[in-house]
Amino acid sequence: DQQVKQNSPSLSVQEGRISILNCDYTNSMFDYFLWYKKYPAEGPTFLISISSIKDKNEDGRFTVFLNKSAKHLSLHIVPSQPGDSAVYFCAATHRAQGAQKLVFGQGTRLTINP
Amino acid sequence: KAGVTQTPRYLIKTRGQQVTLSCSPISGHRSVSWYQQTPGQGLQFLFEYFSETQRNKGNFPGRFSGRQFSNSRSEMNVSTLELGDSALYLCASSWGAGATYNEQFFGPGTRLTVL
């Protein structure tokens, strides 16, 4: 049972344009969502997060949007840079179950083309 | 400040053997979580330890076990290895545990290959 889904295994975007990565979840108990970035041979690196009481969180070039009614979140990267090429994972957790237990999506490989 | 370290980085075992992986968290972090990453299943939560106690457990068979020491270092053990256990095993540490999320910092992982 895949509770967090990233339906696009890969995405290719031109440098300078907007990258939009999508994530859907099925468990309505999730109340905290995160995005991680992973380079080859490295562990995931935390990027940005959002609590279920918000619908938007922004940090520099990265913005995460949460649509609770649709159980959908997205990560926007503007403008996209070559160094953004990596695999992006969305993750979710809920406090009742112990917040350190993250449920991850399958990941989306983002490639930024010069 | 040193990051999360995992040893060994690469490991090759044969079916039926057992393996122990080690994780040293960031200094001051007391929570250690383990994840398994495979191409088919993505990143899956194995278990979390805080103050030498297992706080959360994922849906893995009893062959997967772990422990945490008083200095917060953690080990995970897999007994009677199966081909399907081939994966990247990631360890993540955070300051606290429980109902409030504390940002997790991941190590580089241990790549386990079972032949």
Side-chain angles (χ1 to χ4, degrees), chain B residues 18-23 32-36 45-49 52-54 56-69 73-81 85 89-90 112:
Chain B
Q18 75 162 20
V19 67
T20 299
L21 312 181
S22 180
C23 172
V32 173
S33 298
W34 288 89
Y35 294 84
Q36 181 196 64
F45 175 82
L46 279 155
F47 27 65
E48 181 216 350
Y49 287 88
E52 302 177 65
T53 302
Q54 188 179 90
N56 280 296
K57 190 176 189 306
N59 297 321
F60 279 81
R63 300 186 297 106
F64 291 81
S65 63
R67 59 178 175 167
Q68 186 181 33
F69 302 95
R73 191 177 69 85
S74 177
E75 289 181 348
M76 68 162 280
N77 184 78
V78 188
S79 62
T80 321
L81 283 166
D85 297 334
Y89 290 88
L90 291 159
L112 171 65

Side-chain angles (χ1 to χ4, degrees), chain A residues 72-88:
Chain A
H72 177 84
L73 66 155
S74 61
L75 174 68
H76 292 209
I77 306 174
V78 183
S80 300
Q81 300 174 353
D84 296 331
S85 295
V87 178
Y88 289 78

Side-chain angles (χ1 to χ4, degrees), chain A residues 20-65:
Chain A
I20 300 176
L21 297 102
N22 294 302
C23 180
D24 297 297
Y25 61 96
T26 57
N27 191 337
S28 57
M29 296 294 292
F30 288 144
D31 56 10
Y32 199 81
F33 304 88
L34 310 92
W35 284 93
Y36 280 83
K37 176 180 178 179
K38 187 178 185 301
Y39 292 119
E42 294 182 13
T45 302
F46 171 76
L47 206 53
I48 192 169
S49 63
I50 188 167
S51 165
S52 61
I53 62 173
K54 294 185 175 181
D55 54 19
K56 177 183 174 181
N57 188 26
E58 193 172 351
D59 183 2
R61 296 186 299 114
F62 303 91
T63 303
V64 56
F65 295 92

Side-chain angles (χ1 to χ4, degrees), chain A residues 2 32 34 36 38 41-46 49 89 93-106, chain B residues 9 33 35 37 40-43 45 48 56-57 88 90 94 96-104 106-108:
Chain A
Q2 194 72 24
Y32 199 81
L34 310 92
Y36 280 83
K38 187 178 185 301
E42 294 182 13
T45 302
F46 171 76
S49 63
F89 292 94
T93 187
H94 63 92
R95 290 167 175 78
Q97 198 175 34
Q100 304 310 309
K101 176 179 178 177
L102 295 177
V103 180
F104 282 87
Q106 299 282 71
Chain B
R9 292 293 311 276
S33 298
Y35 294 84
Q37 184 183 11
Q41 299 295 322
L43 271 154
F45 175 82
E48 181 216 350
N56 280 296
K57 190 176 189 306
L88 179 67
L90 291 159
S94 60
T100 301
Y101 178 77
N102 294 277
E103 182 187 335
Q104 295 184 33
F106 282 82

